[in-house]
């Protein structure tokens, strides 16, 4: 840290008000001096440092307790600036997906020498993202340098979708936390590797696989999206082999209809203390303590926004031994990203009740 203690900066609704601009200028100055700043984005909150300054980037790994072989994404205010840090114009695929920027997507391209190895964990490629969130956009424009950032949580924990999550995890470990509203997507960016042939989806997110196929034609899906990586696997999606998104108690995903799920929980209720994440339509019918509403079956956008906050909320209940999450096996659209995060949160523990 370059400051003595973490400064919390509150951004009010009227972003262009001079007070807000002054606060964001202060945060950008901290980035330029080699400090660390947590900032809101439409996906999740990020923990940023000047991507061109290896010493500053090292502080990100330390604050999070993140393994150094897990690369970071660089954040820019405009996709046209990508050419400065990677071989964007040579990439035949970037042109086809340019309309998705700014937005919840990260493109992996061959990096230039000005991006230090610590950002990409020694890989020859770098992930580039341009957030849509207006606070993030103004902050990044003021920084005038690329900002390397992973999610602003302690390594392994669910990603932060509101300022309070960031404060809980990183207060005292970072220089500045920019506090703004809740993240509107609620899941980390879609990651597409534009260097592989055909382009490969490394992590599903707010921009769906179907949307990418419509723009790029053929898109492959990394094994890491739906299956478990062993510690010594060579990762095409680095970082995917680590424990992710996990609350304190072990998570189990449960597939089945409402009746099957209800009977399962009634039986468990005799000998276990657990928390439940369930769909909005079923909350009343399940009639249990420690139950969290993830949103409607028919509204995956809502589930995406809620899921990390629900996982974090289970940490607040004393003495629970397990978390049961009711899921469907729909993997289309945004459901692929939700399913992927829950798989990692549960360390692939699925209970299938279907007869
Ligand atoms: P986080 O923002 O915390 O989700 O971390 C960024 C994630 O982006 C990492 O865990 C990696 O999976 C992925 N990533 C970043 N840079 C690269 C890269 N150069 N190649 C492949 N994946 C990357
Ligand atoms: Mg993360």
């Amino acid at each position: 840290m370059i400051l003595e203690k973490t400064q919390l900066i509150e951004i009010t609704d009227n972003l262009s008000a001079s007070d807000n601009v002054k606060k964001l200028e202060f945060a950008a100055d901290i980035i330029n001096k080699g400090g660390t700043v947590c900032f809101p984005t439409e996906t999740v909150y990020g923990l940023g440092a000047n991507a061109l300054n290896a010493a500053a980037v090292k502080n990100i790994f330390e604050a999070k307790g993140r393994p150094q072989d897990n690369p970071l994404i660089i954040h820019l205010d405009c996709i046209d600036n990508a050419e400065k840090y990677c071989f964007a114009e040579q990439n035949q695929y970037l042109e086809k997906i340019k309309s998705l920027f700014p937005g919840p997507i990260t493109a992996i391209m061959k990096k230039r020498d000005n991006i230090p190895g610590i950002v990409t964990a020694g890989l020859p490629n770098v992930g580039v993202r341009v957030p849509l969130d207006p606070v993030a956009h103004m902050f990044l424009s003021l920084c005038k340098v690329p900002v390397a950032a992973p999610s602003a949580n302690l390594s392994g924990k669910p990603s932060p979708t509101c300022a309070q999550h960031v404060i809980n995890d990183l207060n005292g470990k970072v220089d500045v936390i920019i506090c703004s509203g809740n993240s509107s997507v609620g899941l980390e960016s879609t990651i597409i590797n534009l260097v592989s042939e055909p382009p490969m989806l490394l992590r599903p997110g707010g921009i769906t696989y179907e949307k990418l196929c419509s723009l790029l034609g053929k898109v492959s899906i990394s094994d890491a999206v739906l299956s478990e990586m062993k510690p010594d696997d060579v990762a095409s999606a680095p970082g995917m082999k680590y424990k992710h998104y996990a609350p304190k108690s072990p998570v189990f995903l449960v597939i089945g209809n409402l009746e099957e799920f209800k009977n399962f929980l009634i039986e468990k209720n005799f000998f276990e203390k657990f928390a439940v994440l369930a769909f909005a339509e079923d909350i009343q019918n399940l009639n249990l303590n420690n139950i969290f509403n993830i949103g409607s079956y028919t509204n995956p956008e809502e589930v995406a926004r809620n899921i990390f906050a629900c996982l974090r909320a289970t940490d607040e209940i004393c003495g629970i031994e397990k978390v049961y999450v009711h899921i469907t096996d729909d993997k289309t659209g945004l459901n692929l990203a939700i399913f992927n995060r829950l798989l990692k949160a549960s360390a692939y523990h699925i209970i299938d009740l279907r007869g």
Side-chain angles (χ1 to χ4, degrees):
M1 284 178 70
I2 62 170
L3 298 179
E4 255 167 46
K5 66 186 220 56
T6 303
Q7 291 246 4
L8 304 187
I9 289 181
E10 195 85 47
I11 300 299
T12 53
D13 276 354
N14 179 10
L15 179 57
S16 53
S18 67
D19 225 31
N20 287 330
V21 176
K22 273 193 206 127
K23 287 173 182 169
L24 293 179
E25 280 170 352
F26 170 77
D29 191 45
I30 294 291
I31 291 286
N32 281 286
K33 288 182 171 141
T36 45
V37 174
C38 296
F39 60 102
T41 84
E42 72 280 16
T43 58
V44 301
Y45 275 67
L47 160 51
N50 179 356
L52 304 178
N53 177 342
V57 172
K58 193 157 180 272
N59 293 329
I60 295 177
F61 289 92
E62 275 164 16
K64 284 192 61 138
R66 180 177 175 106
Q68 288 216 3
D69 62 348
N70 193 358
L72 310 178
I73 291 166
I74 65 166
H75 293 69
L76 307 176
D77 65 339
C78 176
I79 192 62
D80 293 335
N81 290 332
E83 182 60 21
K84 296 183 195 162
Y85 311 108
C86 64
F87 293 90
E89 277 165 21
Q90 283 177 18
N91 193 297
Q92 52 160 327
Y93 294 117
L94 182 66
E95 200 52 43
K96 297 189 177 174
I97 61 164
K98 254 195 176 167
S99 60
L100 302 176
F101 295 84
I105 182 153
T106 298
I108 307 277
M109 289 173 286
K110 188 169 167 2
K111 83 173 189 76
R112 290 189 186 272
D113 288 344
N114 54 3
I115 297 294
I118 188 170
V119 172
T120 61
L123 295 169
N125 305 321
V126 65
V128 177
R129 182 162 123 70
V130 182
L132 182 61
D133 179 273
V135 177
H137 181 261
M138 186 181 282
F139 167 63
L140 291 167
S141 313
L142 292 166
C143 286
K144 300 195 170 67
V145 290
V147 172
S151 51
N153 52 278
L154 290 174
S155 194
K157 294 243 266 163
S159 296
T161 53
C162 66
Q164 191 58 51
H165 296 160
V166 182
I167 295 168
N168 294 349
D169 278 16
L170 296 174
N171 199 7
K173 297 186 165 156
V174 295
D175 292 300
V176 173
I177 299 176
I178 302 174
C179 304
S180 183
N182 294 350
S183 303
S184 59
V185 176
L187 298 176
E188 306 82 352
S189 60
T190 300
I191 303 182
I192 179 92
N193 185 342
L194 298 182
V195 178
S196 60
E197 192 59 57
M200 182 185 272
L201 178 70
L202 300 185
R203 178 173 73 187
I207 301 293
T208 64
Y209 171 69
E210 292 85 346
K211 177 77 190 172
L212 289 169
C213 290
S214 74
L215 295 171
L216 290 167
K218 195 163 182 236
V219 176
S220 63
I221 301 185
S222 164
D223 288 346
V225 171
L226 290 174
S227 53
E228 190 165 12
M229 309 272 304
K230 300 284 177 281
D232 49 355
D233 277 353
V234 180
S236 64
M240 293 307 188
K241 64 187 176 191
Y242 293 110
K243 189 177 160 195
H244 259 97
Y245 319 122
K248 287 182 194 145
S249 312
V251 175
F252 295 82
L253 310 184
V254 188
I255 306 188
N257 63 30
L258 175 61
E259 255 345 274
E260 289 162 333
F261 187 50
K262 193 173 176 179
N263 290 337
F264 170 83
L265 294 176
I266 289 170
E267 204 173 294
K268 292 285 179 195
N269 217 4
F270 286 115
F271 52 93
E272 274 180 6
K273 187 166 179 207
F274 53 79
V276 176
L277 272 54
F279 289 99
E281 290 85 347
D282 301 339
I283 299 284
Q284 291 254 306
N285 200 321
L286 287 167
N287 188 27
L288 287 161
N289 294 325
N290 306 331
I291 188 160
F292 297 91
N293 181 348
I294 60 172
S296 167
Y297 281 103
T298 60
N299 192 345
E301 287 76 16
E302 182 185 24
V303 176
R305 272 196 300 277
N306 288 340
I307 199 77
F308 284 143
C310 286
L311 287 170
R312 275 181 179 259
T314 65
D315 282 347
E316 308 299 318
I317 311 167
C318 263
I320 61 157
E321 298 149 273
K322 288 179 183 169
V323 178
Y324 293 113
V325 185
H326 194 198
I327 60 165
T328 67
D329 66 352
D330 183 358
K331 298 185 193 67
T332 61
L334 193 54
N335 289 308
L336 181 66
I338 296 166
F339 189 75
N340 164 267
R341 301 312 190 277
L342 287 173
L343 269 181
K344 313 283 169 189
S346 69
Y348 302 86
H349 288 122
I350 301 183
I351 300 167
D352 194 342
L353 303 173
R354 290 171 299 185

